[in-house]
């Protein structure tokens, strides 16, 4: 992005189309007139928003009051909300250089919005807070203080720790949060560093941000960005401040099944030490679901007594079970749909385009079947692993290797052909 007149080049990556209102370096002490201020920004509060027009003004005003005796800036990162949140925020903050509004066009995602806000921030302490009034700004000075004093690298606003509460949330939601916390802590034990890893309210030090940011994957649209920091290092100091979680102001939550799935995948990816791309983890999860579909359809077909056929292509394939073929075909269709709406959501096919996508996916899947068979035959004919290995064990090992090679081949072909990024349909 070319830098705008009077706008310092933003550090880090911003998407094309990002529009940044940054004609004035927002280095002001809130209580002083902007023109005379040369104070260095100590605190940056990043507020990711999507359809928060009903709440954003109140959130900004409360923050300005809560931090009025400290130098701070507020960065609203809005994904071009249909309700015009970015316009409401800009209009309200006209002439207030401590507030910046980043409007991202053509991009969605809570995690990447927070990352873009952090990249544009100038403070020594980087705070993240929802734009829906659920987080208590009164807890922020203590949270920020812990980081600025060097007491901690991360300070989490906790609803479950000492003096925190879930407010009057229903018992069911409370229970679901507890179950979700237990699950993600199993997947990623480093999250136990706080009592409330599902919190979206936290502060990190600039030092930790700069060390961690280059390794944070942008491959997932939605997940708890806090986890990337909590999982980043062995020797991290984490502290927390309790607060009472409030009900949402106006508008609706964006929490959805897709967000929860991205959370789970991100916990897995962070656990695997980023050796694997988030896309590949998602792809493998879909593949595993396809195996279940395939086995279920095969079982039903066998129960229904479907026949076998013999083809004269190669005797190795005979006899062919019709129920197995149906199982494979069913899993190709369910895998296509799951990959389209989960793995490759941001490049997904829509409406009639789905048919073209399915055809490409089908072709790639057939290539995969041949790759798997070819690798299996190659290993088997050469007596791999050893000629004395039990035949069943050898077959299982060779099938496993064949499946692994075919999965990698298919993944590569699907990324570069079926869901080629250039298609970028969202
Ligand atoms: N920029 C941006 N903000 C988002 C997106 N999704 C959610 N948010 C914001 O992130 C914050 C937390 O989302 P919310 O829907 O309240 O999730 P909940 O607190 O888990 O119910 C809110 O301020 C949302 O407006 C997104 O795709 N892009
Ligand atoms: Mg919220």
């Amino acid at each position: 992005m070319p830098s705008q007149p009077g706008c310092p080049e933003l550090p880090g990556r911003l998407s094309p189309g990002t529009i940044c209102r940054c004609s004035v370096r927002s280095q002001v002490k809130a209580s002083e007139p902007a023109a005379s201020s040369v104070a260095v920004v100590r605190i940056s509060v990043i507020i990711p928003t999507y359809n928060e027009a009903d709440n954003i003004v109140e959130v900004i005003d409360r923050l300005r009051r809560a931090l009025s005796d400290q130098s701070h800036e507020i960065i609203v990162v809005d994904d071009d909300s249909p309700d015009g949140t970015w316009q409401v925020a800009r209009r309200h903050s006209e002439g207030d250089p401590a507030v910046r509004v980043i409007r991202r066009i053509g991009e969605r995602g809570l995690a990447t919005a927070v990352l873009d806000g952090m990249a544009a921030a100038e403070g020594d302490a980087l705070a993240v807070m929802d734009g829906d009034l659920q987080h208590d700004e009164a807890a922020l000075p203590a949270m920020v203080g812990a980081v600025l004093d060097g007491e901690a690298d991360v300070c989490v606003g906790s609803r479950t720790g000492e003096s925190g509460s879930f407010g009057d949330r229903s018992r069911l939601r409370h229970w679901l949060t507890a179950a979700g916390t237990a699950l993600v802590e199993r997947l990623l034990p480093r999250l136990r560093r706080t009592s409330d890893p599902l919190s979206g309210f936290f502060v990190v030090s600039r030092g930790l941000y700069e060390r961690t940011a280059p390794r944070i994957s942008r491959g997932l649209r939605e997940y708890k960005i806090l986890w990337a920091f909590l999982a980043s290092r062995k020797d991290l100091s984490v502290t927390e401040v309790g607060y009472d979680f409030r009900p949402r102001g106006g508008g609706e939550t964006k929490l959805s099944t897709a967000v929860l799935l991205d959370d789970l995948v991100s916990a897995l990816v962070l656990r695997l030490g980023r050796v694997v791309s988030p896309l590949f983890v998602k792809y493998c999860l879909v593949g595993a679901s396809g195996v279940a579909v395939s086995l279920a359809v095969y079982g039903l077909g066998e129960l229904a007594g479907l026949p076998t056929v013999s083809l004269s292509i190669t005797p190795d394939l005979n006899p062919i079970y019709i129920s197995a073929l149906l199982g494979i075909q069913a899993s190709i269709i369910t895998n296509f749909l799951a990959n389209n709406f989960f793995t490759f959501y941001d490049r997904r096919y829509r409406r009639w385009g789905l048919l073209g996508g399915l055809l490409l996916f089908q072709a790639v899947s057939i290539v995969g079947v041949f790759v798997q068979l070819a690798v299996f035959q190659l290993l088997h004919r050469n007596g791999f692993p050893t000629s004395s290995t039990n035949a069943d064990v050898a077959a299982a090992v060779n099938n496993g290797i064949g499946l692994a090679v075919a999965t990698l081949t298919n993944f590569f072909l699907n990324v570069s052909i079926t869901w080629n990024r250039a298609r970028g349909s969202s």
Side-chain angles (χ1 to χ4, degrees):
M1 187 180 98
S3 73
Q4 301 169 18
C7 172
E9 196 74 61
L10 294 179
R13 193 188 130 185
L14 281 176
S15 64
T18 299
I19 297 171
C20 160
R21 196 190 102 193
C22 49
S23 53
V24 187
R25 238 173 104 83
S26 53
Q27 297 177 342
V28 292
K29 194 164 179 173
S31 51
E32 293 173 4
S36 66
S37 176
V38 286
V40 171
V41 173
R42 299 225 64 204
I43 305 163
S44 299
V45 186
I46 290 122
I47 311 175
T49 56
Y50 193 75
N51 285 344
E52 303 291 0
D54 293 345
N55 306 314
I56 193 64
V57 167
E58 182 68 20
V59 172
I60 292 174
D61 287 348
R62 288 187 185 201
L63 269 173
R64 295 290 271 134
R65 283 196 295 273
L67 298 173
S68 62
D69 59 348
Q70 304 186 63
S71 73
H72 67 274
E73 63 175 352
I74 295 170
I75 302 177
V76 176
V77 188
D78 185 69
D79 286 355
D80 205 17
S81 297
D83 75 353
T85 306
W86 58 275
Q87 280 169 316
V88 175
R90 273 186 192 173
R91 225 176 289 133
H92 179 69
S93 313
E94 201 89 66
D96 181 354
V99 180
R100 282 190 274 167
V101 180
I102 294 177
R103 174 191 178 196
R104 303 197 310 168
I105 299 176
E107 188 155 1
R108 266 298 302 275
L110 175 52
T112 57
V114 170
L115 287 175
D116 284 348
M118 288 182 162
E122 297 173 9
D124 298 323
L126 309 181
V128 179
M129 192 172 165
D130 283 5
D132 57 7
L133 296 166
Q134 289 191 291
H135 298 157
D136 185 359
E137 61 289 336
L140 204 51
M143 291 166 65
V144 163
V147 169
L148 288 179
D149 295 349
E151 186 196 317
D153 301 301
V154 184
C155 184
V156 180
S158 169
R159 300 162 292 184
T160 53
E162 220 176 292
S163 76
S165 83
F166 277 95
D168 54 4
R169 280 224 303 195
S170 74
R171 284 219 149 266
L172 177 67
R173 285 210 58 179
H174 195 144
W175 183 84
L176 285 176
T177 306
T181 303
L183 176 63
V184 295
E185 282 179 350
R186 283 214 146 258
L187 290 175
L188 191 57
R190 284 185 180 180
L191 297 185
R192 296 207 175 96
R193 289 166 158 173
T194 167
S195 62
D196 190 5
L198 295 187
S199 176
F201 186 29
F202 62 95
V203 182
V204 295
S205 66
R206 168 157 294 280
L208 178 65
Y209 164 70
E210 283 178 1
R211 285 194 301 273
T212 312
R215 291 181 286 122
I216 298 181
S217 163
R218 294 175 64 103
L220 295 172
R221 271 161 43 101
E222 317 269 0
Y223 68 97
K224 301 283 178 204
I225 198 78
L226 169 64
W227 298 357
F229 292 107
L230 288 178
S232 64
R233 304 166 65 85
K234 264 203 199 116
D235 56 343
L236 203 67
S237 58
V238 180
T239 181
E240 55 188 39
V241 171
Y243 78 99
D244 294 326
F245 195 56
R246 294 188 295 230
R248 207 169 215 293
E252 287 171 3
T253 178
K254 281 99 218 164
L255 191 66
S256 64
T257 320
V259 172
L260 293 176
L261 284 171
D262 266 6
D263 277 346
L264 285 183
V265 172
S266 74
L268 274 176
V269 170
L270 289 166
R271 177 67 188 266
L272 295 172
R274 297 172 208 81
V275 179
V276 188
S277 89
L279 273 189
F280 189 62
V281 175
K282 283 177 148 185
Y283 188 83
C284 289
L285 290 176
V286 169
S289 75
V291 172
V293 169
S294 173
L295 287 175
V297 173
Y298 169 76
L300 287 175
E302 288 302 286
L303 278 179
L306 292 182
T308 60
V309 290
S310 288
L311 291 180
S312 50
I313 309 171
T314 154
D316 291 326
L317 287 177
N318 289 330
I320 292 175
Y321 291 79
I322 295 291
S323 46
L325 272 188
L326 284 178
I328 291 172
Q329 186 53 50
S331 68
I332 288 177
I333 293 172
T334 57
N335 279 3
F336 171 73
L337 292 173
N339 276 320
N340 195 57
F341 293 108
F342 172 52
T343 316
F344 300 103
Y345 183 84
D346 56 342
R347 319 171 199 177
R348 66 190 178 281
Y349 291 93
R350 297 152 197 258
R351 298 191 198 99
W352 291 109
L354 283 165
L355 278 181
L358 178 59
L359 279 181
L360 282 175
F361 187 75
Q362 178 91 38
V364 168
S365 302
I366 290 170
V367 171
V369 170
F370 280 106
V371 168
Q372 183 173 353
L373 286 175
V375 172
F376 175 82
Q377 297 289 357
L378 185 78
L379 295 172
H380 213 62
R381 294 232 166 98
N382 286 294
F384 189 83
T386 62
S387 49
S388 58
T389 312
N390 170 297
D392 288 340
V393 174
V397 168
N398 293 337
N399 254 322
I401 296 174
L403 183 66
V405 176
T407 304
L408 282 172
T409 314
N410 276 12
F411 177 68
F412 174 74
L413 291 175
N414 279 318
V415 168
S416 47
I417 299 175
T418 319
W419 283 280
N420 187 324
R421 191 176 280 280
R423 199 179 303 284
S425 61
S426 80

